[in-house]
Amino acid sequence: MILKEEVLGRNEASYVREEKNMSRQPEEDENACFLGLGFPPQQRKSVVVGYALTSKKTKSFLQPQFEGLARNKGILFVAIDQSRPLSEQGPFDIVLHKLSGKEWRQILEDYRQSHPEVTVLDPPDAIQHLHNRQYMLQEVADMNFSDSYGKVGVPRQLVVKRDASSIPDAVNRAGLRLPLVAKPLVADGSAKSHELSLAYDRYSLQKLEPPLVLQEFVNHGGVMFKVYIVGEAIKVVRRFSLPNVSRKELSKSAGVFPFPRVSCAAASADDADLDPSVAELPPRPLLERFAKELRRRLGLRLFNLDIIREHGTRDHYYVIDINYFPGYGKMPEYEHIFTDFLLSLAQGKYRKRSGS
């Protein structure tokens, strides 16, 4: 099977075909992108996207090639000045953001209420739901998703908010199987929120620092699937992950061992010579149906899923993490996928206003 796979919704796919059929025009022809996308001639104008991102996120996301392509398609990115009232800036068609803090969330929520004509990606309250690992995977667990292509669930987990000395007994009462992955409870994108550890025995768990989440480790052949979601578009890539832990290895090992942030591993598994049973991507129909339902439940359009396949099975998958506005700069072909998504939002707004 192809090791990189793109699952596009009907609208996005049509835009990709449209863009491929167009010749590359110089910058002064930037409004040509709207031809054939449902905009009458008098409605051709730039789509203004205000962005509020950290400097690190700005650098990784707004790469020159991406900005150039967006400009040629009639999309202009404008930095939001956080020292000025948001309502005094713009006007924006879309607001793209990934900033933390209660004050910023309130500013954005007030702006959404007073400017309903602006698409905010995404609602701050919905994003906040993903910042706590106690609740992050709850919607996936509640879905109990399965179809003819497979089943998607979550590993069993335990939340420990304080008193590390009580962890061994709590793990025993919960019936969790070792080894366990220890993750900070807060998942706010900070370096600390990615300090993960693998625990081989119950008593070493007392060395951990709550608040945290303990998640059963599921053997998955050392390969993880990163499923990037941009509206209705989906892009899947493979990444190397933690190797399987055998019963024999578990019986001879003890302690808690930190491991690097798996999702940021530089080494992609897309070109590796791996066992097909491990390397095969999740079926497209399964991902399409699952992502559609999860988008609806989460109320989000920009996120990614870390998914693993249980080793020894063909169709049993687990979601182990969900991240809002992930590192799209690492996603293959993100420039085209993201610009098509922004144009689809603009087209949808025009159709809604015109009643068509």
Side-chain angles (χ1 to χ4, degrees):
M1 175 175 282
I2 296 175
L3 301 183
K4 292 182 181 177
E5 183 168 353
E6 180 177 331
V7 184
L8 289 174
R10 184 175 302 170
N11 289 343
E12 281 79 4
S14 66
Y15 296 151
V16 170
R17 288 194 297 271
E18 180 78 21
E19 199 279 329
K20 286 182 177 177
N21 289 333
M22 293 168 57
S23 59
R24 299 296 183 192
Q25 298 295 327
E27 187 171 319
E28 61 267 23
D29 195 24
E30 63 182 16
N31 288 329
C33 67
F34 291 99
L35 295 176
L37 291 179
F39 291 91
Q42 66 271 22
Q43 291 294 329
R44 295 181 214 148
K45 64 183 184 64
S46 295
V47 177
V48 181
V49 181
Y51 66 91
L53 308 171
T54 63
S55 56
K56 182 179 179 181
K57 176 63 74 172
T58 300
K59 183 177 180 180
S60 66
F61 179 67
L62 291 179
Q63 298 176 21
Q65 184 176 352
F66 175 46
E67 281 201 280
L69 177 65
R71 189 165 53 248
N72 288 337
K73 289 187 173 185
I75 301 170
L76 300 179
F77 289 99
V78 178
I80 290 174
D81 185 349
Q82 296 177 56
S83 66
R84 294 173 51 209
L86 185 55
S87 59
E88 295 180 3
Q89 301 181 61
F92 303 120
D93 296 292
I94 298 167
V95 167
L96 197 62
H97 68 99
K98 189 177 183 180
L99 295 177
S100 58
K102 187 175 182 180
E103 183 179 355
W104 168 251
R105 292 201 307 272
Q106 189 59 54
I107 290 172
L108 203 56
E109 190 57 46
D110 292 343
Y111 182 80
R112 289 181 68 226
Q113 297 299 324
S114 59
H115 293 76
E117 76 283 1
V118 179
T119 300
V120 175
L121 297 171
D122 273 312
D125 289 345
I127 297 170
Q128 192 64 17
H129 187 77
L130 296 185
H131 285 173
N132 188 316
R133 286 193 170 99
Q134 180 175 359
Y135 309 110
M136 175 191 290
L137 304 179
Q138 190 59 52
E139 293 295 347
V140 180
D142 292 344
M143 285 170 65
N144 192 27
F145 184 89
S146 65
D147 64 10
S148 59
Y149 292 96
K151 180 178 180 180
V152 183
V154 300
R156 292 196 301 167
Q157 66 179 34
L158 173 69
V159 176
V160 181
K161 295 187 177 180
R162 54 185 176 272
D163 189 11
S165 64
S166 68
I167 296 179
D169 288 338
V171 167
N172 190 45
R173 289 194 303 271
L176 265 60
R177 295 178 301 173
L178 295 165
L180 297 173
V181 179
K183 304 180 177 182
L185 186 62
V186 176
D188 58 1
S190 65
K192 185 173 179 59
S193 69
H194 294 291
E195 293 178 354
L196 313 182
S197 301
L198 189 63
Y200 283 88
D201 70 287
R202 288 195 299 121
Y203 295 102
S204 293
L205 293 170
Q206 298 176 86
K207 301 176 182 177
L208 297 170
E209 297 181 12
L212 52 82
V213 169
L214 297 174
Q215 195 176 82
E216 281 190 339
F217 178 76
V218 177
N219 283 335
H220 52 282
V223 172
M224 177 179 68
F225 306 104
K226 291 199 74 69
V227 181
Y228 293 94
I229 295 172
V230 182
E232 295 181 10
I234 300 174
K235 189 81 173 181
V236 188
V237 298
R238 295 185 313 174
R239 294 277 177 85
F240 284 116
S241 182
L242 297 179
N244 290 347
V245 177
S246 67
R247 291 289 106 189
K248 182 178 180 180
E249 180 184 353
L250 184 60
S251 66
K252 293 182 178 181
S253 302
V256 176
F257 302 93
F259 59 87
R261 182 180 176 185
V262 176
S263 63
C264 282
S268 169
D270 280 328
D271 299 319
D273 185 15
L274 298 171
D275 184 334
S277 66
V278 171
E280 184 179 12
L281 297 179
R284 175 183 297 194
L286 179 139
L287 290 179
E288 287 178 332
R289 287 189 55 201
F290 179 74
K292 181 179 181 180
E293 177 62 16
L294 191 57
R295 281 198 312 270
R296 185 187 69 80
R297 287 173 175 255
L298 294 177
L300 298 173
R301 285 176 278 194
L302 299 177
F303 61 98
N304 85 296
L305 309 169
D306 291 346
I307 294 181
I308 57 175
R309 177 194 290 112
E310 184 173 6
H311 189 65
T313 74
R314 284 187 54 84
D315 58 1
H316 201 167
Y317 301 91
Y318 291 91
V319 177
I320 58 175
D321 231 344
I322 305 177
N323 303 287
Y324 173 69
F325 203 145
Y328 286 117
K330 301 175 184 177
M331 180 180 78
E333 302 174 18
Y334 92 99
E335 302 94 340
H336 292 276
I337 293 173
F338 218 100
T339 50
D340 289 341
F341 167 63
L342 295 174
L343 287 178
S344 74
L345 291 178
Q347 181 192 25
K349 287 172 59 179
Y350 166 74
R351 285 178 173 172
K352 189 174 181 180
R353 289 196 302 267
S354 64
S356 58

